[in-house]
Every structure is written in structure tokens, then in C-alpha cells.
Amino acid sequence: MRILLDHFSKSFGSVRVIDDMTLEIKDGEMLALLGPSGCGKSTTLFAICGIHKVTSGRILFGDRDVTNVSSQERNVGVVFQSYALYPHMTVRENIAFPLRIRSLPEAEIKRLVNEMAGLVHIGSLLDRRPAELSGGQQQRVALARALVRRPNVLLLDEPLANLDAKLRLEMRSEIRRIQLETGITAILVTHDQVEAMSMCDRIAIMNNGQIIQIATPQEMYRNPRTAFVAGFLGNPPIAFIDAVARDGMLAVENADIRLPIPREADRVPEGTPVVVGIRPENLGTEGDAAIRGRVSFIETQGRENLYDITLANGKVLRSIQRVRDDVSLHDEVEWRVRSDQLFLFAQNGERL
Amino acid sequence: MTGHLKSWPFVLALSIISAPIVLMYSYLFIDTITNSPPGSFIPHEFTLEHWRFLWETRPGKPSIWRVTLNSFLFASSSCLVVLVVSSTAGYVLSRLNVPGRAFFLAGVMVLHAFPAVTLIVAIFLVLQMVGLYNSLIGVILVKAAIDMPLGIWIMKGFYDTVPWEIEMAGIADGASRFTVWRKLVLPQVKPGLFALGLFAFLLGWSEFILPQVLAPGGDVQVLSVYLAGLIADDNNFDMAMFKSVGLFYIAPVLILFLFFQKYLMNIYGGGTKG
Amino acid sequence: MSASRDIVEAAAVPAGAAAASAHPPRWRAGWLNSSRGLGLILLMPALVLVVLFFLMPVVLTGVFAFTNMSTATGISGGTYQVTPGALRELADRHGMDELAEKLGQPSFVVDEQGLKALEEMGIEPAIIADLREGHLGETHASRREFERMLRDLPERPDTRTVKRISGEFSRSLANSRFSSRESLLAAAEGVDPELTEEEKTALVQATYTGWVWTADNFRRMASSRDTVRILLNTIFFVATTLIIFNTAFAMLLAITTHYIPERPAGIFRIIWFLPRISPAVIYVLLWKWFAWDTGFLSAFLDNFGIRPRNWMLDTAANAWFFVIVINGFVGASMGMVIFSSAIKAIPESLFHAASVDGAYRWQQVRHIILPQLKWPILFVTCYQTLSLLTSIEQTLLATDGGPGGATEIWSLAIYHTALNNYAGNLQYGYGAAMALVLVVIGIVLSLIYLRVFNYRALVAKPRIEL
């Protein structure tokens, strides 16, 4: 089902947490709400499921305005970070709870619970209590409970944050599989860009209560709208250096570096101070511009190495390359970067 | 943690200051089943005569069993009222958005500071006016009301520890706020209900001044009033018998305390921790 | 409600979805689902108890404090009784000696009322006629005078008739009882038709037996020497118990049990909990056994040639000792638990660091433990001040305020004034006035708590906005 937030605002007391947000989630799509903590992504999620009231604006499920519909009647499935399983009930009772509330016939409940348990692979755990399950298993139960009544939308609030690294990898693909199999519209709230990029069809990146950019993961990575977006996506993260437009080139102060202005950037007036973003994978052996610096740190990652290059002005750039035997710590190097892979931002962070 | 420092001086010091209590409570047991020669405290014979009161009713006094039943009714009923009131009001104060919630919570703290004696004169007169003087119902309600603020406070503490997500999940699952409380939250605070129930029962069982003032009559007498009456009666001074009645009276308290001391110590010592 | 129902039903079932949404949840009455509605319902039992047993008694304490209610006046209304006491009051307090004398003396008034009565009794009409014509309106100060006048009537009634007649004209008010103000005044006017308004008010006041509004309780409290003594007793009792037992001794218990192995520490904790969990009646009984003239202490000291005596009540000093110890042992356990958990909360690494530094145990206590106990001590002090101010059971059962009122504390004085004393004259009004003082102190102290103990943090806003 299509979900639409229409000029949605939310205040707590006099503090405006979400300001005039408009966001559409397409039917069957999985969308990530990505942002640092405190950016308002959880508030948005709570507003969609009805736990928070909307200060102004509308929320539509399909064509229906559910702004003033109580949470119980919205038929929304939620998976919380802590899973929020009912500790005094068995797994079976947990999953059956939403159905019991709806007074379904027992036989029907039994059938749906078993079907759902099969889907999330917990068929053998039905008679255990939540405390007897591992984190991953609890997560599956929470998913089953959220999905069993065929909700209009599935909301996932930092669902992987409480899992260890290995389980997190496993559950990432599991949640995506289940979402695709059921074809449900889903919203994933997360602060982890890897989760957002690996699980979702589109990402809405948020900061300070506003959506900065909505795009597919690839598009967002390749074409960030602001320095904030560019900085949030990518690991190891992008590096920024200050520069000034001079003679149709970008001059990095005190570093004897001159970079060509990327073709897709607007005309940059002479003397404008700008911020240049360079992703680590783009700094290496190929390109039309040279960057000189000293290798100040080498982090071994196995297949690749991460090199820190300190420029003459003290700024640090990062480069990720296959392991090179010809470079060692404290070497002076001159590496290259392609001008069409530079990101150019104004001082206020807007992409130029 | 302080392993190399010896602990025996502390044990010794504690033993000395604890001696009077140990002595008194030991003799509470010893004196009920033995006789000692006058002026001595070393028993020379075993006897059950001090327990006569169990099968002989003194003239002018109600039967011990009647009194025990009254005590039990008094303690369990006021405990029940406290449980009902605290489990509902505690939830409201912990979780629900009602007007005046902060005010009521402050009120509970203030009321908590109002032990019986400040209000007892007015309550005494009110009960006389409405005809509940010398009735168990009246004194049960008063006792429950006086224990209620602490009960609400304790239950609020327990409710506060239930994760909000459980309630949010319940609501998203389609349950009404009432169902969420009844089916999802209440089961989580069972330990709290148990501890509070135990505590309120013991408070009721031990209460003296309220029944003494509000329900002193023979038909509704509880054990504390009965025992105080025995002790105050100058014509029948019999310490061993007092102690036997006392042991009979305190036994349930001691047993419950020894079994559930962890629960109770927390509540007795401030009551704000869950 | 109906709009939302539409939505549930229309909350379109995605293709292939199961029957789940086809059965919308059965919505119960709205109040079960709104935070406000459910909240008010769930709060109702508590509110009822609060109103009945806190608000009403507090208000009534205030009300009763301004009355002279006592066993003598009763707690419902009274009657008007011309007692010798009332007449004395009329004379002494209002200076209306004359009126008092008049009302007190039997007097005989020839009035129509009496004459009618005579007619009904069947007295000779001639006598009645004579009286009406010759003597109507006359007042005689005594029976003898009146009867002499009767005998002098032309008809010369015989002695028996004279007695019968005189009975009907006796208009004395002494020792008569009236159910209302009006009937009292009507009768008084029968004796003295020229009563002034002032005299009427005084008369009504002096003869009323029920309770009346008055601020006398507070005047009496402010001027009474007993008040000062009880107040000083109370302050002494609270301060001493609080400092010696509820904080210092409790701290000693907490710290010493901290330094000994867990098993004996647990046993000592249980021992020190006994006074608190024991019903007051038994706990004090054990102290009596310990301190009475046939008790343990006397028998023990007898070995050293000290005469057996009732140590709990023989001198004021001894009585205070026992009152404070008995109450202090009860209160010590609360401080012990709170301080113990505060000490437990101190990171162990701090202790290790301290021992590595070669700090002695006393320094550990001083520099690590005591600073950590600042807040718990403040909490215990606040809490126990009020507990002690209002504690009554242990002192009542132990010394009952004795010997000779030496250990009479405020709460006990309330009990003795209003609820139980040897004289049997229970002064509810005065007791309520004394209780009102505690009520005010209680409210003030608890408002201070609320300030001290960051009350705002306790009422964080609910996170579900429904």
C-alpha cells in the first residue's frame, strides 16, 4: 500500500522536531529513513504507526487519510529495536496476539501462525518463551508477529542494532527476503548507511527534521545533493578539503594543488571558497589531476589498504587501493584523481 | 574487596550491639514453652501451659480464634484494596496522559507523609457519624487508604521498568489501552504485585493504633488490640502467656519475612525501588 | 468513531492477504482506549479513597479544630439546659447576676397560660375569676409568698387546692431542658419579659450543651504551659532519635556489614530488621520484659546489688532512654538498607585504588563512603523526621507518655487529648487543633521533599500519545 506523508510536522511542546515533511513510499517498496540519532526518523515512524499525534499535515494510507485514526485501527506492523516481545507469552502466543485481538477463529489463528512461522523459519520454536531465544530468533518472532495480520505497512525501527555483526549480516538479507516474498510496503529506520543501502529500494536521508535527499542507494552515492549526504554514505567516508576557484581551476590553499572544476558543476565565480569532496576509492593511480602528499597512516584491510595522505597544509585525504608494495609509511607520493569524480560543495554544504 | 583487612572486629562489634535484640527474640521463643525459677532465666522445665489460651477462652475476652480470624480478614481485605487501588492508579501515574497527573503524583508523595495519627481524630469522628465505628469494614478502608500512597508509589516504580516498546507493540497489534494494561503490562509487574501484597498484608497484620481507636469492640477485635488489652490488664500479669500470644501473633510475620526477605527489605527500606 | 470504522473496513486487503483484516478488531467503548478516559477510570478507586480518607479528614480536622467538641458536647447538635453551671457562667462571664438569680429562683407568675390550665383542671371558676381580675400579671418571688396570696383570696381555697394551683404557676427555669433556642427564650421571657437582646444571646450561649464554633483551642494551645513542654519533648525526641539512630547508627550498621563477609552480614541485616517487621505490640512487650522490675535487666543487675525496678518508667531520664532506643531500633533498619545499597553502588575499583594507596579503613570510610552517602542521608533525614513526628505506637505502648508526662510527645498528646485518657473527657476539638499543627508541618515538610528530590524527573511525559 502506498504511504504518503503530506506536509507533515511534529512538535514536542515548543520544539519542532519535524518541519513540513512530504514523503511518498510506493506500494511494495522498502524505503530507508536514514540519519544520525535525533534527526527525527523515529518520530516519523511513530507518527506513521499512530503512537505520536501529528501536529500538522496529513498521513495517507493508499487514498485514505489516517491522520486522526487511532494506532490500533491503522493495521501497521512494527518491529522495535528491542523486539518488544511479550515476555510472559510463548512464541506462538506472541504471534497469535494480534489475531486474538481481532477475534479470529482459533483454527484460523493456528493456520496463520504456522504459515508465518514457516515464512520466518521459526517453526520449531513456537512453544518457547522469548527469554529462551537468541537475538536473531527473537527478531524473527517480532517479524512474524508484525506480519501475521497482513499489515498495510511494515515499520522497522533499528531492527538490527541489537544483533552482533554476524547475525546482523544474516538478518539483513532475511528481512529483505521476507519483505520481497510478502510484497509488503516497508519502512526501515536506521542510522547505519550499510543497512540502508543493502536492504532498501530507496533511501530518504534526514537531518534536523528534514529530508535532505530521496534516491536509490546507487544514485545517492554517485550524486549526493549535499556535503552531509556525501559524508553520511560510504565507508571509509569521503574526505573534504577547502579550496578556492582561481583561473578556472580549484586551488587548495598552502598545498600546491590545483584541481580542474568538474564538468557537471555550475560555473564557479572567481575567488569563491568551495569544499571539495574526494571519495577514497577515487584517489589512486588514474585521473587527470595530481595530488601530492605524504603517507601518514596505512591501515591493512586484507584485500585492500587504506592510506591516509597528509597534504602540505595539514589536511588529510584517504585513499583505498589494492595492497601496494611500492608505498610505505612517510613516503612522499603523487596520486591522481579524476576530475569528474570530484564533488564540489558550497560553504553551506549545497552541491555546486 | 578488602580481603586483607580482617573482618572479625566488625563481627564482634555488631554482635555486641545486636545482643539485646537477639536476647529478646530468643526469650520470646524460650519463655513460651518453659518455666524458669523466679529470678533466673535458665529454664528448668518444659511446659505447654502458656499456650492454654488456644483452647481456653478467658471470661470477658473474645476467643483467640475469633480474634485471629478478624486479624486475617482485616489484613487480607486491606491488602486486597491496596493492591487493586495501587495497581490501577500506579499504572495511570506511570503511563497515561491524564490531566492533573503531575499534581496527583505530588499529592501521593504528600499523602505518603501523612501517617494515621494526624488524621485519626477526624476519621474517628467521621466513622462515628456514618456508623462505621466498631466495624471491620470501616477500619479496613481506613487502613487501605493510609497504606495506599506507598502502594501507588511502589507500583509506579514497577510499571516504570516495563519497556514502553511492549505497550507500543501492543497498540500497533490492535489492542486497546485497557487490553494492553490488562494482558501485556500487568503480567510484567507480577513480582511487584506479589511484593506489595505481602507488604500490605504484613502492615495490616501488625497494625495496632487504627483498630485500637476505630474498632476496639470484642466482636471486631484483632490480635494486636487483643494482646495489648491482655498486657494492659493489671489483674492478670503473666509474661509467659503474653509471649505465647505474641509468638502466635508474630509467627506468620517471621515466616513470611524469612522466606521473602529480599522482596521485603527493598520495600521496607524506602519503598521507591522496584 | 464511525469515520475510523470505515477506514478499518476499507483498510484494503492487499491482494492475497489472509482474512486477518477482514475481521476488524472489535472496538470497545472509547474510554477503554483513550489515555484520558482509561486513566480517569483506573484512577477512580484511588481518588475515592483519597477524598474519603485524606481530603475529607484534613478538611474536617480543620473544621473540628475550630469547635469545642468533646464527650460532653457530643458530636451532633445539643440542647439548651439551664444548669447551675450555666447560670454561674451567666453571672461570672457576662456579669448578668440579676438575670441569673431571676432565672435560677423559682418564681410564680399569674398569667393566662396558668389560668387556662386551672380551667382544665376543673378548679372552681370563682377562684380563677378572682385571680384573673385581681392578680393577673403579678410575680411572686417564692412559693410561700404566692401561696399566702392564694389563701387570702375571697374563696379561701383549701391547702390541697392551693398546692395544685401554685404548681401551675411555677415558672422556674432552673434545671429545665429546651430543644430549641426559641422555646428557651419563650420560657425565659415568661420569667422576665424585659429581656434585652444582649441578655438573650448570653443566655443562649451559657445554656447550650452542644458544640459551638470557637477559636479557643488555638488560644489555649498558645498560652498553655503543657504545649511548650510537649513541644520541647517532641523536638528532643525527634532530634535525638534521628541523629543517634536513624542516621549515625544506621550508617554504622551499613558500613560494618559492608566490611564483613556476605553470610554474617545477611544474618545481622535480618536481626536488625526484626524490630521493623515485628508488630509494635510484641516488639514493645519484649522491651517490657527486658526492662520491667521482674525482667531481664533487673534480674541481671540484681547480681551486682542494684535494686530491681521498672527501668522503663522509674525516672524521666530512663524513660527517655527507652523511648529513644525503642523507636531508634525500628528506624535504624531503613537507613541501613538505603545506606547499604548506596555503598554497594560505589565502584569496587575505588576501594582497590584506596587500599593500594595505603589508605586506612577509616580513610576509606571518610573519603569514599561518606561522600557517597550525602544524598541518602538527606533522604533518610527528611523521611524519618516526619515518621518520627507522627510515630505513636511504640511510645504509647512503652511509656504511654509517662512517668508523669515526661515522655509525652505531640502525636501522643493528640491521642490522649482526643481519643483516650483516664479522665474520660475526650476533647475532640482541641485534639483536632493539635492534629492540625501536624498536618501543616506534614504538608510543609513534604513540599520541601518535592523540591529537594527532583520531582520533575519522576513525571516524564508519557511516550504514547493516545
Side-chain angles (χ1 to χ4, degrees), chain C residues 385-406:
Chain C
T385 306
L386 210 76
S387 299
L388 285 170
L389 264 181
T390 52
S391 86
I392 175 167
E393 291 192 346
Q394 280 81 9
T395 316
L396 169 70
L397 291 164
T399 65
D400 197 16

Side-chain angles (χ1 to χ4, degrees), chain B residues 5 10 18 25 41 88 97 101-102 104-105 109 112-113 115 117 126 145 156 164 177-178 208-209 237 246, chain C residues 32-33 35 42 47 54 60 260 270 272 278 282 289 292 299 361 383 386 390 393 450 455 458-460 462-463:
Chain B
L5 295 168
F10 292 99
S18 309
Y25 281 86
F41 287 88
T88 54
N97 227 337
R101 170 169 163 274
F104 196 86
L105 202 54
M109 285 202 82
H112 185 177
V117 66
V126 170
K156 179 190 177 289
W164 271 104
R177 291 301 302 255
F178 178 77
F208 166 64
I209 197 83
F237 188 86
Chain C
L32 278 177
N33 198 32
S35 183
L42 290 185
L47 278 176
F54 287 100
L60 288 179
I260 65 177
I270 292 181
W272 282 95
S278 301
I282 300 171
W289 167 81
W292 276 13
R361 202 173 293 187
Y383 188 94
L386 210 76
T390 52
E393 291 192 346
L450 292 183
Y455 160 71
L458 297 172
V459 283
R463 284 174 55 196

Side-chain angles (χ1 to χ4, degrees), chain C residues 83-98:
Chain C
T83 58
L87 293 176
R88 213 175 307 126
E89 192 187 328
L90 201 57
D92 296 349
R93 196 182 306 176
H94 301 280
M96 298 173 182
D97 306 54
E98 223 169 292

Side-chain angles (χ1 to χ4, degrees), chain A residues 45-318:
Chain A
L45 182 107
F46 284 147
I48 294 171
C49 78
I51 284 168
H52 285 340
K53 284 180 184 153
V54 170
T55 306
S56 69
R58 297 189 304 159
I59 296 176
L60 280 81
F61 283 12
D63 292 327
R64 319 229 160 254
D65 186 344
V66 296
T67 314
N68 295 314
V69 172
S70 79
S71 182
Q72 290 93 337
E73 295 164 71
R74 289 191 191 183
N75 196 22
V76 174
V78 191
V79 174
F80 293 92
Q81 178 176 344
S82 60
Y83 319 131
L85 299 179
Y86 309 133
H88 58 293
M89 297 182 186
T90 62
V91 168
R92 185 191 304 280
E93 288 163 342
N94 262 282
I95 301 175
F97 184 75
L99 307 176
R100 290 247 154 75
I101 291 291
R102 287 166 173 74
S103 308
L104 257 63
E106 268 316 302
E108 180 77 359
I109 292 180
K110 198 165 170 168
R111 189 180 68 74
L112 286 169
V113 168
N114 286 337
E115 186 187 307
M116 194 48 69
L119 177 70
V120 302
H121 305 328
I122 50 164
S124 58
L125 308 173
L126 284 176
D127 292 316
R128 297 213 195 155
R129 287 186 191 269
E132 301 162 350
L133 302 180
S134 72
Q137 290 167 335
Q138 292 189 33
Q139 169 95 81
R140 289 169 189 271
V141 176
L143 269 168
R145 190 182 64 188
L147 290 171
V148 73
R149 74 289 268 289
R150 311 280 163 177
N152 291 324
V153 55
L154 175 67
L155 305 178
L156 303 151
D157 185 12
E158 303 269 10
L160 304 175
N162 284 7
L163 295 176
D164 59 41
K166 195 161 159 255
L167 265 177
R168 198 177 298 172
L169 211 64
E170 176 191 325
M171 287 313 294
R172 225 152 67 187
S173 49
E174 272 296 279
I175 291 177
R176 181 60 165 165
R177 171 185 70 81
I178 293 164
Q179 187 261 334
L180 288 173
E181 266 179 48
T182 52
I184 192 170
T185 312
I187 301 174
L188 170 77
V189 159
T190 180
H191 64 273
D192 182 340
Q193 46 112 6
V194 180
E195 271 172 35
M197 291 176 73
S198 60
M199 293 167 73
C200 294
D201 297 310
R202 286 195 303 155
I203 295 174
I205 192 162
M206 289 183 70
N207 194 24
N208 290 329
Q210 285 180 318
I211 292 181
I212 311 291
Q213 188 175 3
I214 308 178
T216 62
Q218 271 311 316
E219 167 66 11
M220 191 171 276
Y221 189 76
R222 284 206 196 116
N223 202 3
R225 185 177 291 166
T226 68
F228 174 80
V229 176
F232 212 87
L233 298 186
N235 187 24
I238 194 168
F240 296 106
I241 49 176
D242 295 324
V244 179
R246 191 164 295 146
D247 308 330
M249 299 284 274
L250 301 170
V252 179
E253 299 286 334
N254 306 324
D256 187 26
I257 294 174
R258 290 167 66 80
L259 301 167
I261 295 177
R263 211 173 315 137
E264 71 269 21
D266 295 337
R267 221 179 57 77
V268 185
E270 186 72 8
T272 316
V274 295
V275 177
V276 182
I278 303 172
R279 289 209 188 272
E281 65 268 31
N282 294 335
L283 178 59
T285 51
E286 291 169 30
D288 50 355
I291 288 180
R292 274 173 298 279
R294 203 163 46 81
V295 178
S296 56
F297 186 71
I298 301 175
E299 185 184 311
T300 308
Q301 295 190 337
R303 193 157 39 88
E304 291 161 330
N305 274 0
L306 178 67
Y307 301 92
D308 280 8
I309 311 293
T310 304
L311 307 183
N313 66 357
K315 293 275 180 184
V316 177
L317 290 180
R318 275 179 291 262

